[in-house]
Amino acid sequence: MRISIARLALGLLLLVAGCDRGRPVAAPPSPAPHPDRLTQVNVINALMLGGYDGVMSLGELLRHGDLGLGTLDGLDGELIVLDGRAYQARGDGAVVAVPPNRTTPFATVIPFRPDGEVPLAGLAGLAGLAALDARLDAAIGRANHFVALRADVALAVVTVRSVPRQDRPYRPLAQVAQAQRTWTHRDVRGTLVGTRGPSWSAGLNVPGYHWHFLSDDRRVGGHVLDLRLTAGRVRYDVAERWEVRFPGAPGFDALDLARDQRADLHRVESGRAGEAPPAAPPPR
Ligand SMILES: [Zn+2]
């Protein structure tokens, strides 16, 4: 009996050792994120100036929240985080799942726990995104807070854009966005993932509403330029806390982040980057 117990113990030991061989060391369990903390990677003015190198892996980003938006390393398209999964609307319009080892130079996520809901019945048929934003402002208030939004909608029309992946040396976003591609889709169902930054966050995040879209069939997505609603509902989460992850790369400290880039940002976000003042003509 004693021998068989010893053999059993030895067998278990070998089994455990065998199982461990070749396996990556498991990361210690990370603490659950604070339920009302908005986590932001980088500041928007750094992205505007061409800070496109990844700062945080998608694997880590998803530990900070299950809903959000942003872009990928190299400004490689539009990022949509929905129900804890990350999707990329590429510069060619294709939508693909993002592996956890990809990184993001700019993103905003939250563990989405709705504080309220805005019925869309009265919003259906409203012309344009600006009307939706104005209605949400009136319903939500809380002007000096960051708000995360999720709108599950049927859309009569949605126009989305994406941007092509960039190579070094990176050009400012206002220039890159002039090469954006846009697509207009009709009669599509999906989810609008949004953030609303307070006006005081200019230079840090996007003041006002910033919407990305992902269709229910996961085939259509991107940064929303305009839409017309048919039906749906908007849920929102007012963030109590706000945390920023700064880039560790030395280039970050060389950027002039105090420069007022609000006009350029507005053109980039609203899809009117092509209306930016023309760049200096090339030397002859
Ligand atoms: Zn966007």
Side-chain angles (χ1 to χ4, degrees):
M1 185 67 186
R2 191 178 296 165
I3 290 169
S4 62
I5 287 174
R7 275 186 180 166
L8 189 66
L10 183 64
L12 279 172
L13 194 67
L14 288 172
L15 187 70
V16 168
C19 282
D20 258 2
R21 196 179 303 140
R23 264 200 200 165
V25 177
S30 52
H34 186 279
D36 247 330
R37 183 177 61 207
L38 192 87
T39 298
Q40 172 183 326
V41 176
N42 209 345
V43 294
I44 193 70
N45 269 7
L47 191 77
M48 289 294 294
L49 292 173
Y52 304 149
D53 284 330
V55 174
M56 183 187 286
S57 73
L58 265 292
E60 181 179 356
L61 185 75
L62 293 179
R63 289 200 291 273
H64 292 290
D66 56 5
L67 184 93
L69 49 74
T71 185
L72 291 160
D73 51 299
L75 196 72
D76 191 9
E78 310 285 348
L79 171 70
I80 303 116
V81 175
L82 180 60
D83 292 326
R85 294 170 190 266
Y87 302 87
Q88 172 195 21
R90 294 192 320 211
D92 62 2
V95 175
V96 296
V98 186
N101 61 341
R102 287 292 304 266
T103 57
T104 173
F106 181 82
T108 305
V109 295
I110 195 168
F112 191 67
R113 308 284 182 273
D115 292 319
E117 183 171 335
V118 180
L120 274 185
L123 289 173
L126 272 182
L129 194 58
L132 170 65
D133 295 351
R135 184 66 70 88
L136 290 174
D137 266 346
I140 298 170
R142 312 294 298 273
N144 283 331
H145 282 77
F146 280 99
V147 180
L149 304 109
R150 172 183 179 145
D152 294 283
V153 291
L155 297 169
V157 185
V158 62
T159 300
V160 292
R161 72 103 188 270
S162 188
V163 284
R165 181 189 176 91
Q166 300 297 300
D167 295 312
R168 288 194 203 85
Y170 295 134
R171 295 173 299 148
L173 186 52
Q175 283 180 34
V176 173
Q178 293 181 46
Q180 71 182 9
R181 289 185 63 190
T182 66
W183 299 269
T184 295
H185 305 280
R186 297 178 192 283
D187 296 323
V188 58
R189 289 181 168 274
T191 303
L192 297 161
V193 173
T195 58
R196 190 194 74 183
S199 57
W200 59 257
S201 68
L204 305 172
N205 203 305
V206 177
Y209 292 85
H210 181 187
W211 296 104
H212 285 191
F213 177 71
L214 184 66
S215 64
D216 283 348
D217 64 9
R218 307 297 191 244
R219 298 177 69 154
V220 164
H223 173 103
V224 178
L225 296 179
D226 208 353
L227 56 73
R228 207 146 42 83
L229 288 161
T230 304
R233 63 171 180 164
V234 178
R235 286 174 286 166
Y236 64 91
D237 184 357
V238 180
E240 288 177 359
R241 301 179 185 207
W242 176 48
E243 184 170 301
V244 179
R245 171 71 63 86
F246 297 109
F252 179 71
D253 291 298
L255 300 172
D256 177 12
L257 297 180
R259 192 202 302 175
D260 186 347
Q261 301 188 80
R262 282 177 291 182
D264 274 347
L265 177 65
H266 179 71
R267 280 192 287 267
V268 166
E269 291 297 314
S270 64
R272 291 192 278 270
E275 295 173 14
R284 297 182 190 184

